[in-house]
Amino acid sequence: MGSFLYLELFDPPVALLASGSKKGVDLGGSKSLLSIDQDLNLYNEGNIVTEMSWGTFYDIEGLEDQIDTFTTKEYNSLRDDPEALIKAIIRCLEKLMKENKLFYGIADLEVDAFMNQNTVIPGLKLDSKLINKLMDTHKKQRDENLFPTLIKGDQGQRSIKISFQGENKKNLHFYGLNYSELSSKLLAARGFATGIVATSDKAANFFLMNDNIRFKENKPRTFYIDQDCITVIEANIQREKLFPISWFRIDIGLFALRTLELWEEIKDDKKLTKILSKYVKYCLKIVKDLKIEEKAKKK
């Protein structure tokens, strides 16, 4: 666990802070627009959907794992509002250009999957034995109040530490790239990664189980399951070092916008196409300026 490379996620979606107890459990999920800065830290630039509730268990012997009542904790959605979604995307891109950041992608988190074996995560299929083990672990964590409180940033910022784990973690954590390379890579990026978020006492760890992310015009990788990730998760769950919190899907780069349910309806909007064109030019300028700077240094 100590060898993980950590980065910061600012204004983390509430789904990443989910927990539970003998009395109840956080249920729901979120879908958020993410950006990335020159230090590779991530920022939540706005939620497309947040649906979080507290599910209270029955206080009846034999039904302790069944939800009795639901209480809404937070709800907001742009899923059915094209105009609001357009405004959110425009606001996001304008903000990150002003702050010298890049559009990273869209993060989709589902926190009630460990209460329901039939929960479907688009793009991911796992063995039912593993899902049952995660569900049993989640129950034990609830019964014993084992959910750790994620530590916020040293300066009191609204941020948490995160890490990406797995065979293809380089497709989400661009360690070692300069800003020009990062800008170029994210412009070309397409595809998604899916997996499990498990917290430790230090961070939210994103374990990639499967991905089809690519950075060139080539065919996406065929479906696979990262067995090494599963081994690490199982071993650390048993040692009570990791605690499963949610499933995740991250669609990477500007192409992530095309996965939005309303994309076909909004894609030709003049304001949206204008800001997207402006953002692409902004990224290409970063690439060009840094190349000029590098040439100047060599002289």
Side-chain angles (χ1 to χ4, degrees):
M1 297 289 293
S3 62
F4 289 4
L5 283 172
Y6 294 115
L7 49 120
E8 297 280 329
L9 171 58
F10 290 85
D11 291 319
V14 292
L16 277 181
L17 308 177
S19 64
S21 67
K22 283 185 177 181
K23 294 183 178 181
V25 65
D26 281 323
L27 301 169
S30 63
K31 181 176 283 195
S32 307
L33 301 169
L34 299 182
S35 69
I36 187 169
D37 67 13
Q38 297 188 49
D39 297 320
L40 305 184
N41 293 314
L42 300 179
Y43 298 77
N44 177 7
E45 299 290 356
N47 297 318
I48 298 168
V49 180
T50 301
E51 298 174 338
M52 292 297 296
S53 299
W54 177 260
T56 304
F57 295 126
Y58 278 102
D59 189 17
I60 301 173
E61 188 175 348
L63 295 177
E64 300 93 339
D65 296 334
Q66 304 299 313
I67 302 295
D68 181 15
T69 59
F70 294 89
T71 305
T72 300
K73 293 178 67 176
E74 184 176 342
Y75 178 83
N76 56 73
S77 175
L78 309 179
R79 194 160 34 199
D80 303 314
D81 191 337
E83 286 301 317
L85 181 58
I86 289 169
K87 287 179 181 177
I89 295 171
I90 291 173
R91 187 166 57 246
C92 168
L93 294 177
E94 285 181 339
K95 180 174 180 286
L96 61 88
M97 284 189 284
K98 192 178 294 184
E99 296 176 353
N100 197 29
K101 293 187 290 192
L102 299 169
F103 185 75
Y104 179 81
I106 297 175
D108 203 341
L109 300 164
E110 181 65 58
V111 301
D112 59 352
F114 303 118
M115 292 293 296
N116 179 4
Q117 189 180 21
N118 298 316
T119 297
V120 177
I121 307 300
L124 180 63
K125 300 172 185 175
L126 288 178
D127 185 84
S128 59
K129 290 181 180 177
L130 175 61
I131 294 174
N132 285 333
K133 183 176 290 186
L134 292 169
M135 289 173 68
D136 290 342
T137 301
H138 201 272
K139 180 184 182 306
K140 181 181 179 184
Q141 291 165 205
R142 297 194 306 267
D143 289 346
E144 299 181 14
N145 288 317
L146 292 175
F147 288 95
T149 301
L150 291 176
I151 300 169
K152 292 186 179 179
D154 296 337
Q155 306 302 317
Q157 322 97 300
R158 286 179 47 80
S159 68
I160 59 171
K161 292 188 181 301
I162 68 169
S163 77
F164 292 111
Q165 302 302 320
E167 175 188 349
N168 283 340
K169 63 183 178 183
K170 64 184 184 300
N171 289 341
L172 291 179
H173 188 172
F174 303 107
Y175 181 75
L177 295 187
N178 65 37
Y179 207 45
S180 173
E181 293 167 331
L182 181 61
S183 177
S184 179
K185 205 170 182 78
L186 282 173
L187 262 186
R190 62 186 70 196
F192 62 88
T194 58
I196 294 169
V197 182
T199 63
S200 61
D201 60 345
K202 291 183 179 179
N205 306 289
F206 288 70
F207 287 89
L208 278 71
M209 294 294 168
N210 172 54
D211 84 288
N212 64 4
I213 293 173
R214 57 211 188 274
F215 302 98
K216 297 178 182 178
E217 288 289 347
N218 49 15
K219 291 182 180 180
R221 180 173 178 174
T222 55
F223 182 81
Y224 72 97
I225 291 293
D226 192 326
Q227 294 296 332
D228 287 342
C229 256
I230 292 176
T231 300
V232 171
I233 290 171
E234 289 182 330
N236 283 286
I237 279 176
Q238 190 171 359
R239 294 166 54 209
E240 296 187 355
K241 297 290 186 182
L242 280 178
F243 308 91
I245 291 294
S246 74
W247 303 97
F248 76 87
R249 169 172 165 148
I250 295 178
D251 289 85
I252 197 78
L254 209 55
F255 281 94
L257 296 175
R258 300 185 182 188
T259 67
L260 295 171
E261 294 174 28
L262 292 175
W263 178 251
E264 289 301 315
E265 191 172 337
I266 69 172
K267 66 179 183 179
D268 296 321
D269 179 85
K270 289 182 180 179
K271 291 180 180 178
L272 181 61
T273 55
K274 183 179 179 180
I275 193 70
L276 288 171
S277 175
K278 183 180 178 182
Y279 175 74
V280 170
K281 290 176 182 176
Y282 160 82
C283 291
L284 293 175
K285 187 175 185 302
I286 290 173
V287 175
K288 182 180 178 181
D289 287 351
L290 282 174
K291 283 184 177 179
I292 292 173
E293 188 179 316
E294 286 172 2
K295 282 184 179 179
K297 287 179 179 178
K298 291 178 181 178
K299 288 182 179 180

